[in-house]
Amino acid sequence: ETGVTQSPTHLIKTRGQQVTLRCSSQSGHNTVSWYQQALGQGPQFIFQYYREEENGRGNFPPRFSGLQFPNYSSELNVNALELDDSALYLCASSFMVYTDTQYFGPGTRLTVL
Amino acid sequence: AQKVTQAQTEISVVEKEDVTLDCVYETRDTTYYLFWYKQPPSGELVFLIRRNSFDEQNEISGRYSWNFQKSTSSFNFTITASQVVDSAVYFCALSGNQAGTALIFGKGTTLSVSS
């Protein structure tokens, strides 16, 4: 069974640029959730995708957007990067939409200069 | 609103000591789920346990045990005979029972186990 994978591992961007992060869900899972974890903090929910549609969203601005593909993989796009976007971005997959256990990938460390 | 509080920011113990990580939660939902995750220095969140609000039985898994008490809204985690490999950040998390529900995490407790 393949676990959740994310790419790239690390990324450095400058303020104002755009970035795309990728996530492959665990085999058999159809739901993907994205979280942002600032240094020294707990992860914060960005949004969740189920059957290629956004199924819930946290308190993040519209410049954070996402996609889910038919194979349940997902992308997180962030436009107009700001310094505060520097964080670890975690992707989690689960089998069911409701409160199923979420299994996390290794994360993408984004640094915005 | 849902909230998770982990009052202990950092804990340092010596190997073989027992250590308890505290977690207090707030929710108005009658059905909810509680989780513990471990985050080693590599950054990946590793799932440890899931409990639903109707199951107050304590659980033991090897050196790990969990005490869930609805009366005090607490879901504490005890590591018995700690080892250096237990050093990590531990997060308690809460989720509700609605579509699109998210995990609400506490700020985490950093556990350092020295030899």
Side-chain angles (χ1 to χ4, degrees), chain B residues 23-63:
Chain B
C23 172
V24 174
Y25 63 92
E26 297 175 28
T27 181
R28 293 183 180 178
D29 293 343
T30 53
T31 301
Y32 54 89
Y33 301 83
L34 294 164
F35 303 81
W36 276 95
Y37 286 87
K38 174 182 179 180
Q39 188 173 44
S42 62
E44 182 171 349
L45 281 169
V46 178
F47 166 72
L48 296 177
I49 190 171
R50 161 196 168 104
R51 261 289 176 263
N52 72 53
S53 51
F54 298 108
D55 183 2
E56 285 194 73
Q57 285 189 349
N58 292 332
E59 177 144 345
I60 298 175
S61 176
R63 297 184 297 107

Side-chain angles (χ1 to χ4, degrees), chain A:
Chain A
E1 183 177 276
T2 306
V4 179
T5 61
Q6 292 186 243
S7 62
T9 305
H10 295 90
L11 205 51
I12 298 175
K13 292 285 189 178
T14 56
R15 195 169 47 182
Q17 286 189 312
Q18 178 266 342
V19 68
T20 298
L21 310 181
R22 295 178 174 82
C23 169
S24 291
S25 60
Q26 184 170 313
S27 176
H29 288 181
N30 56 20
T31 302
V32 173
S33 303
W34 286 91
Y35 293 81
Q36 180 196 66
Q37 185 179 16
L39 204 59
Q41 301 295 316
Q44 299 288 317
F45 176 67
I46 303 174
F47 43 54
Q48 182 181 80
Y49 277 83
Y50 171 65
R51 292 186 175 176
E52 302 177 54
E53 293 199 0
E54 186 178 291
N55 190 57
R57 189 178 184 94
N59 190 26
F60 280 81
R63 59 189 186 83
F64 284 79
S65 63
L67 285 172
Q68 187 181 32
F69 301 100
N71 66 354
Y72 306 123
S73 65
S74 176
E75 285 183 356
L76 164 64
N77 298 292
V78 187
N79 294 322
L81 284 167
E82 301 177 358
L83 297 180
D84 285 348
D85 295 333
S86 295
L88 179 67
Y89 288 85
L90 294 161
C91 168
S93 74
S94 54
F95 174 62
M96 291 165 52
V97 174
Y98 287 12
T99 61
D100 192 29
T101 298
Q102 296 183 19
Y103 294 90
F104 286 80
T108 294
R109 173 73 61 186
L110 172 65
T111 302
V112 182
L113 302 176

Side-chain angles (χ1 to χ4, degrees), chain B residues 87-104:
Chain B
S87 297
V89 182
Y90 290 87
F91 290 97
C92 180
L94 165 71
S95 68
N97 196 38
Q98 302 84 29
T101 192
L103 286 171
I104 307 299

Side-chain angles (χ1 to χ4, degrees), chain B residues 59-89:
Chain B
E59 177 144 345
I60 298 175
S61 176
R63 297 184 297 107
Y64 295 172
S65 62
W66 291 269
N67 179 255
F68 175 27
Q69 292 194 339
K70 286 180 73 171
S71 60
T72 57
S73 297
S74 65
F75 186 43
N76 296 336
F77 173 30
T78 297
I79 301 174
T80 303
S82 59
Q83 300 176 2
V84 172
V85 293
D86 296 327
S87 297
V89 182

